[in-house]
Amino acid sequence: MEFFWYVVLMGILAVYIVLDGYDFGAGIIHLFFAKTEKDKKAITNAIGPFWDANEVWIIAAGGVLFFAFPILYASSFSGFYLPLIMILWLLIFRAIGLEMRGQIHHPMWEVVWDKAFGIASLLLALFFGIALGNIVRGVNLGMVVNGVSTQEAHFFFLPLWNPTFSPQANELGIIDWFTLFLGIVSVVALTIHGANWIIFKTNSSLNEKLKNVVFKLNIVLLILVFISLQIWHFIEPKPFHNFIETPILWVFPLITFIGIIGLFKVRTYKKDGSGFVFSTLFLVGGFASTAVSIFPNVLPSTNNVNPSLTIYNAAAHEYGLSVGMSWFFIALALVIVYFVIQYKVFSGKMDDIGYGEH
Amino acid sequence: MEEMLFYDRMQFAFTITFHYLFPQLTMGLSLIIVYFKWKYLRTKNEQYNHATHFWMRIFALNFAMGVVTGIPMEFQFGTNWAKFSELTGGIIGQTLAMEGMFSFFLESSFLGIFLFGEKLLGHKWHFVTGLLICIGSWASGYLIIATHSWMQNPVGYEILENGRFVLTNFKALFLNPWLWPSYLHNQAASMVTSSFVVSGIGAFYVLSKKNLDYGKLFLKTGVVFGLISCVIVAVPTGDLLAKNVVKYQPVTFAAMEGIFHTEKKGSEIVLIGQPDVKDKKLDNKIAVPNILSFLTYGSWHEEIKGLDQFDESVHPTNISGLYYAYHIMVGLGTIFIGLMAFAVFQLCRKKLFETKWILWSLLFMLPFPYIANTAGWYTAELGRQPWLVYNLLRTAEGGSPTVSSGNTLFTLLGFIGLYLLLGMLFLLLVGKIINKGPHTEKI
C-alpha cells in the first residue's frame, strides 16, 4: 500500500517536472533569447493555455504527500521552511508576470513583467534542482548534536547555507556545492526541455536558433551528467546498490541515456516534436533513477541516531491509504480525460498569434 | 514558542483572509456566468454573450488571484503547522488531496479552454465548459468545508497512543452533520458577494450613464440573484448552522451571542453591545427578551447556557473578537436582505433604474459582502479556538517545532509585502476591465 502511494507520488512529481518543466524552460529561453516582440509572444503563447493546469500537478503532489505520507510532509515542509516559502513567492511572481504582461501596453510595464517571468522561471528551475539535491543528500533528522537528539526523531531545520558550503559538514545548509551542482543540471536540462517545447509548438523565427542552442546545451548536459555520476560517491558510498540488487531497475538510467542521445538529433529530425519526447525521457529517467537510488528512503538521515524517513515509517495508516485508492483512480481517469481534451483543443502548432482563437 | 505561535496564527489569518476574497466571488460568479451563457443559447441575444465575456474576464482575474494565493494555504499546513499535519494529515490530507485531484484539475484545464476556445468549440460546448468550471469551483468549496468541518466536529477517527489521528470511517467525513449547513451557508454567502458585485457594477454603469443596456441587465440579474441568496444565507442555512453550534459547541455559542450568565427563563437576543470580558458583562446593550431561546429551540423559555457554565480553560480565546465577528456578519446580512428586497420590489414596479438612492446604495454596498463573509469565516475560526481539532488538539500543540519565530516573522512580512503588491495590481486591472465595459469586449 505504501509502495502504491509512493509510485503515485513519484508519478505525479514526474508529470509535474515534465509539464511545468517546459514552462520554466520557456521562461529561461524568454529571458535569454527572445529579443523581438514577436519572439516573446510566440514563447508566452506556446505555454499560454497550459501553464495554469501544469501548475496544478504540484498542488496535487502536495495533497497526496500530505495525506499518504503526513510525517514526511510535516518534516520536510517545516525543515525546508525558508526555501519552500521562497519557492512559493517565486511561483506567485512568475504567475503574475505571465498574467500582467499583456494587460497594459507600455514598454516599461512589459519589461518589468517579462523579467519577472524569466527570472522567476530561472530561479525556480535552480531551486527545484537544489531541492532534489537536499533530498538525495539527506538531513540531520532529529537535529542530533553530539549524539543527542534535540527534537523528535523526524524533525529538523536547515538554514539556507553554512560557511563551509560542503555537503559533508556537521551543520548542513540548503545550498552547498553538491546541491548547487544539481541545481545547475536542472537549469540546463529544463532550458533544453523548454526550447524543445517551443520548437514543437511554434513556427517562430527563433526555432532554428533554438535547435543550435539545444545542441550546445546538450553537450554541457552530457558532461554534467558524467560529473554527477562521479560525485554521487561523496553523498552515498554505494550509489548503485539498488540497481545491483534489482537489475531491472537499470531501465531508468537507460531511459535517461536514450533521452540524452536522442537530443543530439534535434537539428536533423524531421518532426519538431521528437526533441520534446527525448527531453521528456531524459527528465523522467533522470528523476526516476535518482528516486530509485535512495529507495526506500524518502529523506535519508545524516546521523546514526535517528533512522531515515522511508516510505514505510512516514506513511499514513493502512485504512486511509486503502480507502484513498477508491477515489484516486476515479480522479486520475477524469484528469486524463481533461488533459486529452485540453491538448486536443490546442493541438498542433500555433500560428503567429495563438491557437486560432482569433 | 508563544511568539512563534502568534506569528504563525497571524500569517495563516492574513493569508487566508486575503485568499478568500477571491474564491467567494468566483464560486458565485461562475454560476451567474453560466446563467448568462444559457440565456444567450436560449435567446441568441448578443448582449448576453457579451455579458458572458465581460464577467469571464473578471472571473479569470479573480481565479488567477485565488490560485496564486491558494497554493500558500496548502504549503502552510506543512511549513507552519507541521505538528498538526503530522498528527491529522492522514485525515484532513484526504479531503485536501481530493480537492486538488477533483476540482483544481477540472477548473484549470477548462478555464484555458473557456477563455481561449470559444471559436474552436462553438457556443454549446462553450456553455458546457463554463458549467464544468462552475462545478469544479463548487466542488472545491465542498472539499474545503469538509476539511474545515472535521476540525470543527471531528468524526470517523481514532487516536493512537502516539497522539496520531487515524481515519476509521471515510464516509463519515462527508456525512458530518456539521458539513452540509456550513457548505450551503458558505455557498449562499458567496452568491451574495457575486450578486452585489454584479449589481454594484450595474449600478455604476447606470449612474454614470455608461453602457446603459448592460448596466440594466447586470442590475436586474444581480438583485434577483441577490435577494434569493441573501434569504438562503439566513434561512435555512444560517439558522441550521447556529443550531449546530449550540449542539456541538455550546461554549462558542454563548460567546458569539455575548451570553455571560445563564438566564433560567429564556435568553434575550443581543442586537448591539460591547462585551467587557473582564467584568463579564455587555456595555451599551440593546436586547430583545426571550427571542434567542425561541430562535434556537422554538420555545420562549428554554435555557441557553452562558459562559459561566463552562470552565475558563475551554472558553474561546478571543471572546470579544468572536462576538464582534458574529454580530458584524449577522448585522450586515440583515441589511443585505432589506436592500435587496427593496431593489427587487422596485424592479417589479419597473422603477429600479430611476430610484437613485437604491442604485447608490448598491454601489456603496459592494465591499460589504466581503466584510460579512470574512467576519463569518472569523466567527467559525475564532469560535473553534483554543482548539485546532475541537476538544481534541489545542492550537498551541500544532505549530512547527523546529521553525524559529524569526523565520515566521520574516515570511509573514514577505507575504504582507507581496499581497499588497498583488492587491494593487488586482484593483488596477479590475478597474481597467470595468472602465472598458462589455461593449468593446473582444475574445
Side-chain angles (χ1 to χ4, degrees), chain B residues 11-24 65-66 68-70 73 370 374 378 415-416 418-424 426:
Chain B
Q11 185 166 327
F12 204 86
F14 174 72
T15 48
I16 205 160
T17 303
F18 191 78
H19 167 66
Y20 197 60
L21 295 176
F22 305 102
Q24 66 172 290
M65 293 288 287
V68 297
T69 56
M73 304 317 308
Y370 286 99
T374 307
Y378 282 11
F415 275 114
I416 293 175
L418 188 60
Y419 283 10
L420 275 177
L421 174 72
L422 275 178
M424 287 192 302
F426 174 78

Side-chain angles (χ1 to χ4, degrees), chain B residues 34-77:
Chain B
V34 168
Y35 165 77
F36 280 136
K37 189 77 202 187
W38 176 74
K39 281 294 268 189
Y40 171 71
L41 284 177
R42 292 278 307 262
T43 62
K44 293 290 172 211
N45 179 349
E46 279 296 325
Q47 200 195 0
Y48 286 114
N49 207 29
H50 286 156
T52 311
H53 295 158
F54 174 74
W55 289 107
M56 201 166 85
R57 287 198 63 181
I58 291 186
F59 177 88
L61 191 61
N62 273 276
F63 182 82
M65 293 288 287
V67 171
V68 297
T69 56
I71 303 176
M73 304 317 308
E74 188 194 37
F75 271 54
Q76 278 178 58
F77 282 116

